[in-house]
Amino acid sequence: MTTTAATPVAGNRAMNFIYRFDQGDASMSGLLGGKGSNLCEMARLGLPVPPGFVISTDVCDQYHSGGGSLPDGLDADIKANVHLLEKSVGRTFGSADSPLLVSVRSGAQVSMPGMMDTILNLGINDEIVEGLAAMMGDPRPAYDAYRRFLQIYADVVLEIPGETFEEILASHKEKAGVEQDFRLNPEQIRGVISDYKVAIRSASGDDIPADPWRQLTLAVEAVFRSWNNPRAIFYRSHNGISHDIGTAVTIQTMIFGNLGPNSGTGVLFTRNPSDGEQKPYGEFLANAQGEDVVAGVRTPQPISSLAGMMPQAYQDLMGLADKLEGHYADIQDMEFTIENGRLYLLQTRSAKRTALAAVKAAVDMANEGLISRDEAILRVDAEEMVQLMVPQFKLDPGSNEMKSALLATGFGASPGAATGKVYFEADRAAEAAAQGIPVILVRPETKPDDIHGIIVSAGVVTRRGGVTSHAAVVTRGLGIPCIVGCEGVQVDPDQGFFSVNGLIVREGEDISVDGATGEVYIGGLETVDPDMDGMTEAKEILEWADQARSLGVMANADTPADALQAVAMGAEGIGLCRTEHMFLDSQRLPEVRRMLVNAEAAEQWRRNQPDGVEEPAPGADLPAGVEDFYGALENVKQLQTEDFTGMLRVMGSRPVIIRLLDAPLHEFLPPYDTVQAELAEMRRLGAPPEEITDKEAFLLLVESLREENPMLGHRGCRLGLSFPSIYRMQVEAIITAGAGLINEGIEVNPEIMIPLTVHVEEMRRLREDLTAAASRVQERLGVKVAYKFGTMIETPRAALTAGAIAHESEFFSLGTNDLTQMAFGFSRDDAQAKFLGSYVEQGILPGDPFATIDADGVGALVKMAVDAGRKTRPDLEVGICGEHGGDPASIAFCHDAGLDYVSCSPFRLAVARLAAAQVAINHAKT
Amino acid sequence: MTTTAATPVAGNRAMNFIYRFDQGDASMSGLLGGKGSNLCEMARLGLPVPPGFVISTDVCDQYHSGGGSLPDGLDADIKANVHLLEKSVGRTFGSADSPLLVSVRSGAQVSMPGMMDTILNLGINDEIVEGLAAMMGDPRPAYDAYRRFLQIYADVVLEIPGETFEEILASHKEKAGVEQDFRLNPEQIRGVISDYKVAIRSASGDDIPADPWRQLTLAVEAVFRSWNNPRAIFYRSHNGISHDIGTAVTIQTMIFGNLGPNSGTGVLFTRNPSDGEQKPYGEFLANAQGEDVVAGVRTPQPISSLAGMMPQAYQDLMGLADKLEGHYADIQDMEFTIENGRLYLLQTRSAKRTALAAVKAAVDMANEGLISRDEAILRVDAEEMVQLMVPQFKLDPGSNEMKSALLATGFGASPGAATGKVYFEADRAAEAAAQGIPVILVRPETKPDDIHGIIVSAGVVTRRGGVTSHAAVVTRGLGIPCIVGCEGVQVDPDQGFFSVNGLIVREGEDISVDGATGEVYIGGLETVDPDMDGMTEAKEILEWADQARSLGVMANADTPADALQAVAMGAEGIGLCRTEHMFLDSQRLPEVRRMLVNAEAAEQWRRNQPDGVEEPAPGADLPAGVEDFYGALENVKQLQTEDFTGMLRVMGSRPVIIRLLDAPLHEFLPPYDTVQAELAEMRRLGAPPEEITDKEAFLLLVESLREENPMLGHRGCRLGLSFPSIYRMQVEAIITAGAGLINEGIEVNPEIMIPLTVHVEEMRRLREDLTAAASRVQERLGVKVAYKFGTMIETPRAALTAGAIAHESEFFSLGTNDLTQMAFGFSRDDAQAKFLGSYVEQGILPGDPFATIDADGVGALVKMAVDAGRKTRPDLEVGICGEHGGDPASIAFCHDAGLDYVSCSPFRLAVARLAAAQVAINHAKT
């Protein structure tokens, strides 16, 4: 057996239990945890970290697989390593004379802040505390350290609820007539300690062991146990962290900042974490421990004050900050303690900072030459870019005010903070909004029929549905904050209230919502708009990103206003214009309905005409429904021509992909239940018979359009083939709009997109018919309008037969929302609440496939479609227009799959531009 | 320009308009139609067909694409060819002296019996008829030929409705005091002719041209026009025939069987087309034309009578029959005429025969050495085998009684004829059946809740749904005749009637259904059971098929009775046992419901138990719902154990693939609307408050289980993972059943199948959990039960990731019903009525993908799954258990894809065995 400096004390056992800080490095986070490997790295870099060692995650694994017992030999290894610490700092563990205390901390590969347990001041007992008091020259902090140790140890190791101790402490403070912990004198703290011991004995039947070695062993076990405490499991499930990685345990010398005026403690950010300003930012408290800062014992001073108090330590600290930021090339969040003038670095990590700060710091660092532009791009979390684009609450989310206002949490479906008065019906919401009242619409779920209420709302909350439900998709398109799947909220629209755990919130009361976090708050919380002053660096980094990326970035937009915003956010075109969203405008809906309810009658009539007759001659005598249909069709055509003129005018020469009617007809009609109720009411009130007859006929129509599985129903190009006049009308409107703009000297590039194709024959027939319709319009107007003809690939069969479909398609747009629904057999309206949430939580699926594309399944279909499509037509234009188009991980997939572009909501364009650049840069690297 | 015997008269034009019979052959059916190419083939073989020629289908195409005009030059070509006919038979077209008359017949590549028009006796006018009378030595048949010509020509060419002429004829018969056409004397027929001419002039404004050449041109045009008459279009759509192939026109010399006692006409089948007996079968009428036979002018005599009357002609005919059957190696249906002792063969074709005859003839021919066994297998239409297994109506489907009883036609979903009294509610049906009344259940559609009514019915009709709808799937499994998508039937269960075109049929009235043809008849038609006496050859050919096929054949069966039948029909195992069908037994349903409605409560309870506690300790004090759940679970386990014991006992060492619970929970509950209505009624009647409260709670439960798209919902293994106790219970029942049988000395081979997998992780977890459950039972019982663990591949994602899934799966069963739904995005409950029917009719899709597997799309997924699965696990067992498993074309696909077996309803096993052999033989050939 050979032992060298780099070999763990335990020698060449099959597995090393323990690594000293100088034996590990940053690459070993899997084995040593993030915290442990970081400390090792710091030690290797010669940074002044308090000496310590790490018990590896393998031991955690053995602990759990061994049914909750530590492996043989670990205790001996711990002892040997503690003796090394004693040597290093010249104090002794378990001795009352210059005692060595240690901290015992958890730390997994992935940071889980606040989720697991840490024990400080371990190695103390009734005797040792007196030695510590002597060393500190003040019994108060020593007793206080002992008191805290007892409390934390009891909580973590013995699982005695913390409230017991809070109550004891509170009663002693009351008796002493003080309000703050640190106002208790040493004698009073001893009283607290005495009561703590009684409480511990009564709750656990035993004392906390006085033997520091025993304390240490039990603490290590407790940390391993804490890996599986409920909040840790929840946190991991919620954040997509594997339950298998386990935690390491870091055991480190306690350094004291409260040994006199030449000691102290503080926090330093190498740059301002709020706005990214390049100036050290932090605070310091002399003669204090870290917990004093947290407890608000005294008000800390700005970090600059340290310069006067301890110039050498300050100089050391600034040097350290430069060194660390240079090394990690990122803003560092450093915790430090000065013990008798000697600087110790307790922790350093990439600072949690706002998106704004992240962007500014990255851009500054690149401009400072600290990192390259590519590195700057990689430094920013693309997902966070969305924060720059939407309002936020003024209060810090962690603040007590926010915590106490929190009502419920759902899934953040469309980001941004909003506040307003709650309404439960789209009609009522629209009325309120018309009076200038800011509205938050709260519904069990939303349907297309609610659109007039959604459009006017400042925010939307639904009890049911996932992040790709109707409410989610519509609000993202509109940029309205939205929370879905907020199961805690019991909504009763009929009675006009919702309740959360018994709390009733009635129509007209104030609530606030955060569409990023999914949180619903009671009351009207103040919001702040994105700070455009701070956007210089955001624009700069996005320009760099545009140079770095190869993937095009387009936007999903349905109105000229959306399109304008999209251009401002850098969209290179419109990847998806949903014409049915234009239909849903409340002023247009009646005319659209008149068209749709008569479509079948008109189609019957048309089929009975001689060959070649596709529409009635002007002035022809038509049956009533047929006349209604063609009248409405003409009116809708005018409206659509205006719509398309507006869109195409904004986008000019940029491509605008317009999807023809996709939604099933019943989406434009009121729900069956509603019509049925209306009919019952009319009968009850004795309405005129002819009105009742009309309503009965309407009910029959609505009934005839019901489907068992509307998702797999009569929609998309199936409608286009059933009712050819409607698609023809839309194409005529597109070409008419284009021709008008060309006459104004404006270049246009419309692309006509057919939804829900399953077979090339659908495309062939529609292409033939619609090309003819387009030609007729061009001929009539005497203007040539260049356009492309293509399809969405959104059914598995379309992806599987893309080679054939490409013969009739100049472009493909991957509709991965529907592709995901069909590939998995998951209804996005139901799956989240029924089982998908649980699947993700339990780790059966690695994530929500509606949020990030499922590379193995749906992704395989995408790749097949791209490859087969390009084989048929090498210049085939291929993009993605589903929700995945704005998700960084999915964007990376799209880059790999060779797509030409991604298309997403205007609000996510910054995310997409950055993410597209990141994947390009990462690929160039490898 | 070179003209040789083999060159059409028109010479080397880019396209030949016309082919003489000696210029074509059987391979040219695309160009010359089936009839035309067949006549050519006969002429080339030296058979005595009346001379003639064929105008090709290309001309039909030109006629239609040219807007309805014949191409230039065609008239001249026709003339030249008619002159050749004149030379050949020594008569002259358009001459009153020994006149040549011709027939003008349509004929497409695919036979469309009775669908298009034929004109006989063309070339006749007022003068020529007198010459014909002289030639026949009898004016009556000559005048009658003229009368018929006028009537058919007016109908076909001038489109004057036939009733006009029927009325004239009837009035003349009345005046003459005769009942039959042939009783009219020549003078009376001339009166009819005279009135016909007046009617024609008055309807069309003109006379039928007297010029025979003009008659001919107009007749050719009329045949081409008839290609697009409504019944032809309907027939093609209904039979999956392309609308583009067009018809040819055959012009052929009219031969007269009515020139005296040495002439005559008849039909000969080379074997009996009803039972396949090897003996010429047919009839003959001396001194008569073919139409006399049809009209029943005189009763024809058995073919044997010809031997005495015209020995030479008889001998020629028998020689011809041998020659033709030898040549075509199939039963021939020959039409012949003898003109002055000379035998002409008018037509021969493979005889339309019953499945029984087809089988017997094929087996006999093989045994006679005429064809090989392989050829015999190929000779029988596999699909027809189903006819041998089910009852048929006693009356011939073409008979007038049947025609007049026909009410409506839907899709034949489960074959067999049935008759009974109509009921509209499952409950009422069950009541009636309990009294011994044969029931036909007619519903708008069926739901699982109707199962107790379906089970007891002799037949089922639904207005909505396709051939894979609930009603269709269930009845096929049960062997109950069923018609679905019978849109013509307006069902009003509340009022207790259905109506068809205004005819009301009330509860308790007699109707009859043919589940093969999809026809609904009024009245109680007599049925006959399959004739088991005739089954010897069927058994023989199926045995040959078993030797020839490589694909295994298993059956879908849910009960021991089904399993027994499956074994009798040759099943090598059970490919799909649907455990939820066992749940639906009306006696079991209450207990199953008690289990399901409390499943969520029980699962909540379980989650709150300490780790490792999976079920309550015996005698534990449980909340009410939890107690209910475990009580019901135990009872259901007992029932399932009995179920599985029965199944496994029947099947013995054969594999039995048992699918764990697949259906969504709400399928076991009454529909939401029903419960809502019940609640309203209870409130109206002032039911006790606690009953109302209970019902309200139940309504809430039913509501909570509603899904927007149940097809894509919470079912299959998603349920198994949500409520682990249920799958565990089922596995315990399987293993307990197996162990019991092993103890009896019976070998068993259960295979446990997980439905609706999308990700290998589902399989991994379920396998771990269920294997443990199985092991516990085996340990407890001290018996080792061999079983396999596998999954259905029925979501696209499962197919796409089959390589991974195969790591946790010992077998795959391809669920191509759901795979088709998801690959296409077609809901099988809605698609047929909403758009799929129209897609198939219009030729947008080549066929119904639920009937025959879509090779390009769904088939691609199947191949991927098979290939990737076998790559992971070379001995992976792969079969198909969807509806496609009983479809011949799909079975051929399965063979090609390398599947191990197909599984289908017991009633389709004969189809599957034969089809599997056919594909194997066809492959061996190539």
Side-chain angles (χ1 to χ4, degrees), chain B residues 292-377:
Chain B
D292 299 327
V293 180
V294 177
V297 174
R298 300 200 313 273
T299 303
Q301 296 175 275
I303 197 68
S304 54
S305 64
L306 183 62
M309 293 157 67
M310 297 175 230
Q312 183 57 45
Y314 182 74
Q315 199 179 320
D316 289 352
L317 183 64
M318 291 301 126
L320 204 53
D322 274 358
K323 188 169 175 182
L324 285 170
E325 200 182 80
H327 179 70
Y328 292 108
D330 198 0
I331 311 181
Q332 292 297 297
D333 166 0
M334 303 160 59
E335 289 176 28
F336 64 91
T337 288
I338 300 167
E339 189 180 276
N340 289 324
R342 182 167 167 199
L343 176 71
Y344 285 98
L345 184 64
L346 301 186
Q347 183 164 281
T348 188
R349 55 187 169 190
S350 287
K352 292 237 168 225
R353 68 285 208 220
T354 62
L356 191 62
V359 167
K360 181 164 166 45
V363 169
D364 285 351
M365 285 186 197
N367 289 336
E368 290 158 21
L370 204 56
I371 56 177
S372 69
R373 288 183 172 184
D374 282 357
E375 282 169 318
I377 289 168

Side-chain angles (χ1 to χ4, degrees), chain B residues 487-558:
Chain B
E487 298 267 337
V489 167
Q490 303 277 337
V491 191
D492 190 335
D494 294 340
Q495 303 296 319
F497 70 84
F498 74 79
S499 66
V500 179
N501 294 328
L503 174 73
I504 303 279
V505 180
R506 297 191 180 281
E507 185 183 284
E509 293 190 40
D510 286 320
I511 66 169
S512 302
V513 296
D514 187 327
T517 62
E519 287 162 333
V520 181
Y521 298 94
I522 188 77
L525 303 177
E526 200 176 342
T527 62
V528 284
D529 282 334
D531 175 13
M532 284 299 161
D533 292 345
M535 290 301 211
T536 321
E537 286 85 2
K539 284 179 194 147
E540 194 162 3
I541 203 165
L542 288 172
E543 277 161 23
W544 298 349
D546 291 344
Q547 287 156 22
R549 68 186 160 87
S550 56
L551 209 50
V553 174
M554 313 235 272
N556 301 347
D558 307 330

